[in-house]
């Protein structure tokens, strides 16, 4: 843009010496329109070039992952996570272009949806115009699909921002819920193994031009992740409910698999773990907990019933 301004100044000096005032104005206006058109065309070209590189990444990913074990490129597989992170960064850059202000036309990205994909999974229509795009692939193992989420948003002035969320977490976020003071709750899920579908609740916050990812919404953590549960959120009461999987004994008796709430792996420090159990107030009879958001944190909504949980799983 600076070199365009330089050209305008030089050209104005030239025409000032050779043309009268009305003619100078006309020529200057034509020149400015021409330079704006050239600038816009250049930006559009950069957008399309980057889009084509992302398409090439998806095509290569399909080609490499479609091969069987006997023909597999193990050098590529050894660096697959780094490759996908680079692609996610490219997508993050693509979403900064003005062409990406409205949701991208993803039909233009050709891929085998069973091998690799690029999709819009969640969005809002509020002042931040949040969009969460997912790039991912089927790893072919028990983990299954691995998702790289990228978030796009605008500040109060309408400026576009993006962030590669997969640097923090791999999850396909399908729900975005507004909380007070520019906090938002993201709900998503991701296959963890053949026996585990990981459900995630994650709190983010927008503050001026920044996306905050370390809000201590759950004790000292921004998120929760459990296997084989269901998260639901009440937008009016700001209550988050988590329900454990319902199961049956061989006699047909219903019970709930509250082992999903065992926090020893994620919270090795027992003091912090006990604070989390106290917050969640897990009811082992119904297999659920409820927490309510206020003042930047989730708080328990009832007297703790987690003591039986401690006795069963931690003693």
């Amino acid at each position: 843009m600076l070199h365009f301004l330089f050209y305008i100044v030089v050209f104005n000096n030239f025409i000032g010496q050779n043309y009268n005032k009305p003619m100078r104005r006309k020529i200057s206006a034509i020149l400015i329109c021409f330079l704006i058109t050239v600038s816009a065309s250049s930006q559009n070209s950069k957008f399309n070039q980057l889009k084509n590189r992302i398409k090439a990444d998806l095509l290569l990913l399909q080609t490499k992952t479609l091969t069987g074990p006997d023909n597999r490129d193990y050098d590529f597989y050894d660096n697959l996570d780094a490759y996908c992170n680079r692609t996610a960064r490219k997508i993050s850059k693509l979403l900064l272009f003005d062409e990406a202000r409205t949701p991208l036309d993803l039909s233009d990205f050709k891929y085998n949806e069973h091998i690799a994909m690029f999709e819009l999974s969640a969005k809002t229509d509020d002042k931040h115009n949040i969009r969460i795009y997912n790039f991912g692939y089927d790893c072919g193992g028990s983990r299954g699909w691995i998702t790289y989420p990228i978030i796009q948003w605008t500040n109060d002035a309408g400026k576009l921002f993006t962030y590669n969320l997969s640097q923090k977490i791999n999850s396909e976020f399908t729900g975005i819920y507004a909380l007070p003071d520019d906090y938002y709750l993201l709900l998503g899920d991701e296959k963890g193994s053949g026996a585990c579908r990981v459900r995630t609740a994650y709190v983010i916050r927008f503050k001026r031009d920044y996306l905050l990812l370390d809000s201590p919404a759950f004790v000292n953590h921004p998120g929760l992740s459990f296997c084989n549960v269901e998260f639901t959120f009440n937008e009016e009461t700001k209550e988050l409910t988590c329900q454990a999987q319902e199961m049956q004994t061989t006699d047909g008796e219903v019970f709930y698999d509250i082992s999903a709430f065992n926090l020893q792996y994620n919270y090795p420090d027992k003091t912090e773990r006990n604070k989390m159990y106290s917050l969640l107030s897990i009811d082992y009879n119904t297999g659920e907990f409820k927490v309510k958001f206020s003042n930047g944190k989730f708080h328990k909504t009832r007297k703790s019933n987690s003591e039986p949980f401690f006795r069963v799983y931690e003693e």
Side-chain angles (χ1 to χ4, degrees):
M1 183 58 71
L2 289 177
H3 63 278
F4 286 151
L5 293 175
F6 172 76
Y7 291 145
I8 291 174
V9 171
V10 172
F11 193 73
N12 270 332
N13 288 335
F14 171 76
I15 63 175
Q17 300 172 7
N18 296 277
Y19 296 94
N20 58 35
K21 192 171 183 179
M23 182 61 69
R24 289 201 304 270
R25 287 178 177 173
K26 290 180 181 180
I27 294 174
S28 295
I30 293 170
L31 175 63
I32 291 170
C33 290
F34 172 74
L35 292 177
I36 290 173
T37 302
V38 170
S39 177
S41 176
S42 175
Q43 285 295 102
N44 186 261
S45 176
K46 290 179 181 178
F47 175 80
N48 288 325
Q49 287 172 11
L50 185 54
K51 188 166 71 169
N52 288 333
R53 287 201 291 271
I54 294 169
K55 290 180 184 179
D57 283 356
L58 288 171
L59 180 60
L60 180 62
L61 188 60
Q62 292 177 56
T63 304
K64 295 291 186 180
T65 54
L66 274 171
T67 58
D70 294 337
N71 299 313
R72 184 160 291 171
D73 184 345
Y74 285 98
D75 287 337
F76 180 81
Y77 264 77
D78 288 342
N79 297 286
L80 189 53
D81 188 56
Y83 177 87
C84 290
N85 272 313
R86 285 195 298 270
T87 302
R89 287 196 297 270
K90 291 176 187 176
I91 293 172
S92 188
K93 289 181 180 179
L94 184 77
L95 296 176
L96 287 173
F97 283 85
D98 280 338
E99 290 88 338
R101 282 190 175 274
T102 55
L104 290 176
D105 180 9
L106 299 182
S107 63
D108 198 27
F109 290 82
K110 305 300 182 184
Y111 55 82
N112 182 333
E113 64 183 10
H114 300 295
I115 303 298
M117 60 82 178
F118 178 29
E119 67 175 10
L120 173 66
S121 64
K123 68 185 183 73
T124 69
D125 293 318
D126 60 6
K127 65 178 182 179
H128 288 298
N129 293 305
I130 304 168
R131 308 278 189 270
I132 297 182
Y133 290 86
N134 294 320
F135 155 70
Y137 70 98
D138 188 341
C139 71
S142 60
R143 169 72 190 274
W145 204 270
I146 299 177
T147 305
Y148 294 77
I150 299 99
I151 187 170
Q152 177 199 56
W153 75 97
T154 59
N155 65 5
D156 292 341
K159 183 179 178 180
L160 275 175
F161 294 88
T162 64
Y163 182 77
N164 176 12
L165 273 177
S166 66
Q167 295 178 92
K168 288 287 185 180
I169 188 169
N170 295 104
S171 185
E172 182 182 357
F173 292 108
T174 54
I176 308 174
Y177 302 95
L179 301 169
D181 300 321
D182 275 349
Y183 287 92
Y184 285 83
L185 173 67
L186 309 181
L187 296 184
D189 73 285
E190 182 90 347
K191 188 177 179 183
S193 68
C196 172
R197 188 85 191 177
V198 181
R199 267 31 184 248
T200 296
Y202 200 95
V203 173
I204 62 173
R205 188 186 188 189
F206 298 105
K207 194 169 184 179
R208 296 187 295 276
D209 292 349
Y210 299 98
L211 170 64
L212 305 182
L213 298 167
D214 56 356
S215 300
F218 301 95
V219 184
N220 293 318
H221 298 268
L224 296 172
S225 292
F226 297 113
C227 279
N228 305 327
V229 301
E230 290 293 337
F231 279 114
T232 54
F233 184 69
N234 187 314
E235 296 184 71
E236 292 185 7
T237 64
K238 306 303 179 187
E239 283 187 328
L240 176 68
T241 301
C242 184
Q243 176 68 58
Q245 186 177 26
E246 182 181 296
M247 306 184 77
Q248 286 188 344
T249 66
T250 54
D251 298 328
E253 183 180 350
V254 173
F255 71 98
Y256 297 93
D257 182 17
I258 60 170
S259 64
F261 300 131
N262 190 340
L263 300 175
Q264 284 181 294
Y265 177 77
N266 291 326
Y267 304 92
D269 180 77
K270 189 168 184 178
T271 300
E272 186 175 21
R273 188 164 68 246
N274 288 353
K275 288 180 181 179
M276 185 65 79
Y277 280 133
S278 178
L279 165 68
L280 303 184
S281 302
I282 301 160
D283 187 330
Y284 72 103
N285 291 313
T286 62
E288 73 168 24
F289 67 77
K290 288 187 178 182
V291 288
K292 184 172 182 175
F293 189 86
S294 66
N295 299 319
K297 286 179 172 284
F298 277 99
H299 304 271
K300 63 184 178 182
T301 60
R302 61 184 174 210
K303 185 177 179 181
S304 175
N305 291 320
S306 60
E307 274 301 309
F309 187 89
F310 283 126
R311 290 203 300 270
V312 171
Y313 286 99
E314 297 215 357
E315 293 186 358

